[in-house]
Amino acid sequence: RAARGDSVVRATVLSSLYTTNYNDWQYKLGGLLNRRIYPLLCRRDLAMNVERAKIMLKICRRVQREKNIIVTVPEHRLSLENKAIELASDLTMACDFKASKKLHEVVKFLWQYGREFLDESDEILSPKYQLIYTLGAPCNMEGVQVRWEIHATIYESLARHSSSLSKSFSSDVIELGKSLSDVHENGYIGLRLLEDSKKCEEAYDAIKKCIVDDILNGQSKLKVILNKEQRKKWQRCVMGNGIGNDVKDLPFHEQIIALCLRGMLEHNVLKTVLFKRWRVNYGNHPTRKGYKMAVPYRAKDVAAERTEFGHPDVALSLTFAHYYQAGLNKMELRHAFEKLKNKGNSYAKAQYSSWVGSENVKVMEGFTSYEGVNINDKAFFEEKLYPIFRNNMQVIRFWLFELVLPIQAKQFPKKLLSTAPELCRSSKLGKLWTAVTTGFSGTDDLSLLLPPTIVQENLDSLKKTNGIQLKNLLREENNDYSNLLNEDTTKELLERILFKSPHINVVLDVGALVLHKSNRGFVESWLSIRKDMDAAAFFEDSKVFVLTQGGTLLNFDESPHSHNMSKCLLYLDEIHTRGSDFRLPSNSRAILTLGKGLQKDKFIQACMRMRQLGHGHSLSFVASHEVNCVLENDFGLHQSRHKDLGHVLAILEWTISNSVKSLCSLMPYFVDQMRSTLVKANAYNNFFIDSNDISLGSIAKSCIMDEILELQHLYGQDYGDEFLFNIVDHRLNGRSLFGNSRTQLQELANSLRERFRRLAHNIKQPCN
């Protein structure tokens, strides 16, 4: 109905669901209603010129005229607007005012004639996501190699003390990625702090002490040479007492170490990193050619496309964490040895000696010295060198220092930011924006953090949805609960849970517990247990496949199981437990995994993959060891509060608690995003009159922000807790944003300040 010839209908969907939605709508709308489906693609690496912008505008007008539909993803929409501004900036070599002017015509056309639809709108509008274009000449981080040394030193200390820390604190506090017996002699075990543990702070204090003591006692490669008085100042700065100015009269090398350690330890950068789950929250990008730094993950083994960590020390720390746990692949290790060879014979001998120093001499018999190494011998390299050195922390350190960080660990002086609130602009921001936006979602938990340009208005017929979902969930048949005990959660899930549960035909891995196998590997193992089933369905990237008992791989839509899944298992990984639909048999039972920090909206979305929940479909819950400890200690999992629903009630309370924590932690990000949106709207209202070079250049200058590059500015201030509404008042102060004039945007900023004064008057957040 929306495509009537007077507007451009554009549907924005999650990236993970783009392919399936596009194909589904192409079949239904194209095949049945004769409406064409157009993609709208825009990425930074796609060159843009006047001709291409003209073609894009022509397509938009054709879509409007012929009543067709555009399907796109949030990243491409935000990139389109960023690209238009970037082309008008003299900070980039791609500066092209003519192309910017034409692309702004496209943007303006969509602002004025757009009829926008957001599928899974609460996820699309979440403050978790933003798009950044870095601008200006890349420069080294302050401290350069000293800063890298600090991150390497931290992980070497963690590896050195992991055994004693695990003995001092139970597995309820510190989670080890591998058992101590399985770790390579010179490798990193993979240590993670369990955020909800009661002794978390005590364990973190112990970790900080180990790191600082190792540096001061000369047990690390990072040397600090100070007299007694200087040492006091250095320690005072590192341990967070006083301010960063305390180290101004120290040697530059020691200043850099003190400020960076202050940030890592006392500004809680390291704590944030140690809370993250490898391969769930971060890892390398498997398909981004040439890029080796760690990137954010949207879900288990799903790297966020063209996204990087904005904080330089988080990016560095997680890069070390990833490679120390994953090891080097054969090509990376070969490059490390080739680089070693090019460094000169005497240096290579000394460096190689440091690599083999802690290795088993018997295992290395014949190549304990550099002269015995021949990387051109393929069998020798793959059978001898690779198994020994792939996880060696010294080798990985060398590879990162020589081949990755000098090229990729860069900062940029400026940035251009696009955020979720820019996906739902309205006339509240100014006369330029008259497009109407409508969002759809099965949950509304993030309604408190919706931009003021869009309002949660549930249909009368759907106001009871939340109650119906809870009613269907809180049933006796869903009160089945198990917990995993081992670090290899995949193996235990298969052998202890699924092997003994032949009635389970669906696994909803919303907790991301299947970490040690690929999706295909998991269903292969599951099929080997379930000989009574003919096949198993699973996602590979954004496509659904069916694997048969005979090992044949088919497209799901082309298989007989697409219409009858009575003999077909189903595995949904974390990212596909939202928005995917399958016609499951009426008696289907699913296992739903529970992982760290699972929030109610994500939990309910996963539960509702069982469309007939409460009417034939049912659930069993399986928790990780970390989650089980929280449920037992904080939510009375095994207390008989309710005879038949004790487990599912505790789980539900836990997910609600996680949602509240998440809302509080997201509030500062939301405020910063709204500040950016208001500043950008103000620039367009003031300068976007006739799209000439001067006005476009003024818009670019107003929208582009400075990046914090200096350690003193980043970590030199005090760090502590502040009331959230004070932070909001500071960030959304109308005078600092718009001067003394009382504008429509200032009123919007004031309404946001009032919203947070009402919602968060007693909530504190850490800040400097």
Side-chain angles (χ1 to χ4, degrees):
R1 293 180 183 178
R4 295 172 298 196
D6 57 348
S7 59
V8 184
V9 175
R10 181 167 55 168
T12 305
V13 302
L14 295 171
S15 300
S16 58
L17 301 174
Y18 176 78
T19 302
T20 51
N21 281 349
Y22 187 91
N23 292 337
D24 188 41
W25 293 345
Q26 195 171 42
Y27 169 72
K28 292 177 180 176
L29 299 179
L32 299 177
L33 300 180
N34 197 30
R35 301 290 181 91
R36 291 190 66 177
I37 307 296
Y38 287 84
L40 181 64
L41 306 176
C42 186
R43 298 199 312 261
R44 192 176 191 182
D45 61 333
L46 295 177
M48 182 62 66
N49 53 36
V50 173
E51 289 306 313
R52 289 184 177 178
K54 283 181 178 178
I55 292 171
M56 195 174 285
L57 182 60
K58 185 178 179 181
I59 290 172
C60 289
R61 285 176 172 156
R62 182 190 301 162
V63 169
Q64 178 191 34
R65 185 176 61 253
E66 297 178 0
K67 305 176 184 179
N68 296 318
I69 297 165
I70 292 172
V71 180
T72 187
V73 297
E75 293 87 344
H76 290 292
R77 280 189 58 183
L78 296 176
S79 191
L80 178 66
E81 297 189 17
N82 267 9
K83 194 75 174 174
I85 297 172
E86 181 194 27
L87 291 170
S89 171
D90 56 8
L91 293 171
T92 173
M93 293 178 65
C95 181
D96 184 342
F97 280 104
K98 290 182 178 178
S100 175
K101 182 176 181 179
K102 186 55 66 174
L103 201 57
H104 267 101
E105 287 184 33
V106 179
V107 171
K108 186 179 179 182
F109 183 80
L110 291 167
W111 285 347
Q112 294 184 336
Y113 298 104
R115 182 66 178 92
E116 307 287 358
F117 293 92
L118 308 178
D119 186 37
E120 302 293 348
S121 55
D122 58 338
E123 184 73 7
I124 286 175
L125 296 178
S126 169
K128 290 183 291 185
Y129 305 120
Q130 58 189 19
L131 183 71
I132 297 175
Y133 277 17
T134 52
L135 298 170
C139 56
N140 288 321
M141 296 179 184
E142 187 179 8
V144 200
Q145 189 157 336
V146 176
R147 204 158 171 180
W148 310 342
E149 289 276 5
I150 290 166
H151 290 277
T153 295
I154 286 171
Y155 284 100
E156 286 162 11
S157 286
L158 290 175
R160 190 179 296 118
H161 297 285
S162 57
S163 177
S164 61
L165 286 167
S166 66
K167 289 175 183 176
S168 301
F169 300 95
S170 69
S171 59
D172 297 356
V173 185
I174 290 178
E175 179 184 270
L176 301 181
K178 308 169 187 173
S179 71
L180 291 166
S181 59
D182 293 338
V183 180
H184 184 275
E185 286 187 58
N186 195 26
Y188 175 59
I189 195 168
L191 183 149
R192 191 168 72 87
L193 269 179
L194 303 188
E195 188 173 357
D196 294 316
S197 167
K198 288 182 169 58
K199 290 191 174 182
C200 177
E201 287 299 327
E202 186 182 336
Y204 184 58
D205 287 340
I207 288 170
K208 291 191 293 185
K209 187 176 186 306
C210 290
I211 293 166
V212 174
D213 287 351
D214 280 356
I215 294 171
L216 292 177
N217 297 335
Q219 289 183 276
S220 74
K221 291 184 178 181
L222 197 65
K223 304 302 178 186
V224 177
I225 303 171
L226 299 167
N227 61 37
K228 189 175 180 180
E229 187 61 33
Q230 289 175 329
R231 189 181 175 109
K232 284 182 180 178
K233 287 184 177 181
W234 188 90
Q235 279 186 286
R236 192 161 61 240
C237 176
V238 168
M239 301 311 289
N241 301 316
I243 59 174
N245 289 333
D246 291 344
V247 295
K248 277 194 171 179
D249 58 343
L250 299 184
F252 179 73
H253 178 265
E254 278 69 22
Q255 282 187 42
I256 295 296
I257 295 174
L259 286 170
C260 191
L261 278 175
R262 178 186 175 94
M264 291 299 295
L265 304 182
E266 293 305 317
H267 283 224
N268 291 338
V269 175
L270 180 61
K271 184 194 283 186
T272 300
V273 166
L274 292 179
F275 285 159
K276 292 184 181 295
R277 296 174 67 193
W278 178 49
R279 292 181 54 200
V280 176
N281 304 124
Y282 72 95
N284 73 326
H285 201 299
T287 60
R288 192 168 166 186
K289 191 175 180 181
Y291 192 77
K292 299 296 184 180
M293 298 288 285
V295 300
Y297 274 29
R298 291 194 183 276
K300 190 264 291 185
D301 288 334
V302 181
E305 283 300 320
R306 303 187 178 277
T307 305
E308 298 156 22
F309 287 104
H311 193 293
D313 286 308
V314 170
L316 280 173
S317 189
L318 290 176
T319 298
F320 279 94
H322 167 73
Y323 288 104
Y324 282 156
Q325 291 175 91
L328 301 179
N329 63 35
K330 290 177 183 177
M331 185 62 71
E332 289 163 349
L333 184 63
R334 184 176 292 279
H335 288 163
F337 273 95
E338 288 171 352
K339 184 68 177 180
L340 184 66
K341 182 180 179 181
N342 295 336
K343 299 285 280 187
N345 200 46
S346 59
Y347 177 89
K349 286 181 179 179
Q351 187 67 258
Y352 186 78
S353 295
S354 72
W355 293 357
V356 301
S358 60
E359 297 294 347
N360 189 321
V361 177
K362 290 183 180 179
V363 174
M364 297 194 62
E365 190 172 348
F367 56 101
T368 54
S369 65
Y370 183 65
E371 288 81 0
V373 174
N374 178 14
I375 62 172
N376 294 321
D377 184 336
K378 186 177 179 181
F380 170 76
F381 178 81
E382 294 185 356
E383 296 170 15
K384 298 286 187 180
L385 285 183
Y386 182 66
I388 289 174
F389 287 120
R390 68 180 299 262
N391 290 110
N392 186 302
M393 291 180 75
Q394 299 305 314
V395 177
I396 295 169
R397 174 195 182 111
F398 175 83
W399 177 75
L400 286 170
F401 277 40
E402 296 290 336
L403 295 168
V404 177
L405 301 181
I407 301 166
Q408 298 182 8
K410 299 290 186 181
Q411 286 183 288
F412 293 81
K414 304 284 185 179
K415 65 181 178 182
L416 178 60
L417 184 68
S418 280
T419 62
E422 291 164 35
L423 297 171
C424 58
R425 290 190 181 100
S426 75
S427 56
K428 290 182 180 180
L429 295 174
K431 295 178 181 178
L432 284 170
W433 297 281
T434 56
V436 176
T437 301
T438 303
F440 300 95
S441 180
T443 50
D444 58 3
D445 291 36
L446 281 176
S447 58
L448 294 175
L449 295 185
L450 284 177
T453 51
I454 196 167
V455 180
Q456 183 83 33
E457 289 186 352
N458 294 335
L459 299 174
D460 288 339
S461 59
L462 298 178
K463 286 182 177 178
K464 56 188 177 183
T465 300
N466 285 335
I468 291 173
Q469 290 172 343
L470 295 178
K471 179 186 174 186
N472 292 336
L473 177 63
L474 296 172
R475 295 173 64 91
E476 188 176 349
E477 67 260 29
N478 300 324
N479 199 44
D480 186 50
Y481 173 85
S482 315
N483 65 286
L484 304 179
L485 306 173
N486 303 320
E487 64 271 2
D488 191 345
T489 51
T490 308
K491 183 179 179 182
E492 190 177 359
L493 184 63
L494 284 164
E495 294 181 359
R496 190 167 72 83
I497 308 296
L498 292 175
F499 181 75
K500 297 177 180 178
S501 307
H503 56 290
I504 299 289
N505 61 343
V506 180
V507 171
L508 305 170
D509 190 27
V510 68
L513 301 189
V514 179
L515 288 177
H516 302 83
K517 288 181 182 288
S518 65
N519 292 359
R520 178 170 177 170
F522 180 79
V523 299
E524 282 178 345
S525 300
W526 193 9
L527 278 172
S528 69
I529 297 171
R530 293 292 302 276
K531 298 295 185 183
D532 59 312
M533 302 300 278
D534 294 340
F538 64 99
F539 274 89
E540 197 68 54
D541 295 324
S542 56
K543 294 183 179 178
V544 190
F545 292 97
V546 166
L547 184 70
T548 67
Q549 283 282 9
T552 303
L553 192 66
L554 304 169
N555 284 323
F556 180 75
D557 290 336
E558 297 171 1
S559 76
H561 302 287
S562 61
H563 299 291
N564 182 0
M565 295 190 69
S566 59
K567 301 292 285 183
C568 183
L569 303 171
L570 174 65
Y571 169 70
L572 294 181
D573 56 4
E574 181 189 2
I575 200 165
H576 292 107
T577 54
R578 184 185 198 111
S580 55
D581 279 314
F582 292 86
R583 298 173 184 172
L584 298 171
S586 59
N587 61 343
S588 294
R589 187 168 183 82
I591 276 180
L592 188 143
T593 63
L594 306 174
K596 174 182 178 279
L598 181 62
Q599 295 162 36
K600 174 180 164 281
D601 63 328
K602 197 172 181 180
F603 172 71
I604 293 295
Q605 286 278 1
C607 290
M608 296 316 295
R609 295 316 96 206
M610 308 300 287
R611 292 301 192 188
Q612 300 302 315
L613 189 65
H615 303 281
H617 289 179
S618 57
L619 294 165
S620 293
F621 300 102
V622 176
S624 66
H625 175 68
E626 174 185 6
V627 171
N628 184 67
C629 291
V630 175
L631 289 172
E632 286 184 346
N633 296 334
D634 299 339
F635 294 92
L637 179 68
H638 299 303
Q639 296 174 8
S640 56
R641 295 176 300 166
H642 193 295
K643 182 180 176 182
D644 300 321
L645 298 176
H647 292 150
V648 70
L649 273 172
I651 292 166
L652 186 60
E653 287 178 16
W654 168 70
T655 62
I656 292 171
S657 172
N658 290 334
S659 294
V660 173
K661 290 178 185 176
S662 176
L663 281 171
C664 293
S665 66
L666 287 174
M667 283 178 183
Y669 297 99
F670 171 72
V671 169
D672 275 347
Q673 289 189 358
M674 281 308 306
R675 177 187 171 91
S676 171
T677 300
L678 294 173
V679 167
K680 195 177 286 188
N682 191 51
Y684 274 103
N685 287 335
N686 289 336
F687 300 114
F688 196 54
I689 302 167
D690 55 3
S691 301
N692 59 41
D693 292 0
I694 297 174
S695 65
L696 291 177
S698 298
I699 290 170
K701 287 177 182 177
S702 299
C703 295
I704 291 169
M705 297 182 283
D706 292 326
E707 190 66 277
I708 298 174
L709 302 179
E710 296 179 8
L711 283 169
Q712 182 66 43
H713 290 160
L714 201 58
Y715 302 131
Q717 298 84 12
D718 283 335
Y719 187 80
D721 291 338
E722 180 56 83
F723 283 108
L724 184 59
F725 68 80
N726 287 340
I727 300 173
V728 174
D729 269 358
H730 175 72
R731 297 297 292 158
L732 292 178
N733 186 286
R735 288 188 177 182
S736 65
L737 289 174
F738 315 114
N740 291 320
S741 58
R742 194 164 187 81
T743 65
Q744 191 175 0
L745 295 178
Q746 192 174 55
E747 293 294 330
L748 214 55
N750 290 339
S751 71
L752 281 171
R753 292 163 69 190
E754 184 56 38
R755 183 199 295 188
F756 282 96
R757 192 179 298 278
R758 187 178 69 255
L759 288 176
H761 65 280
N762 61 347
I763 295 175
K764 285 189 172 184
Q765 287 285 330
C767 67
N768 58 24

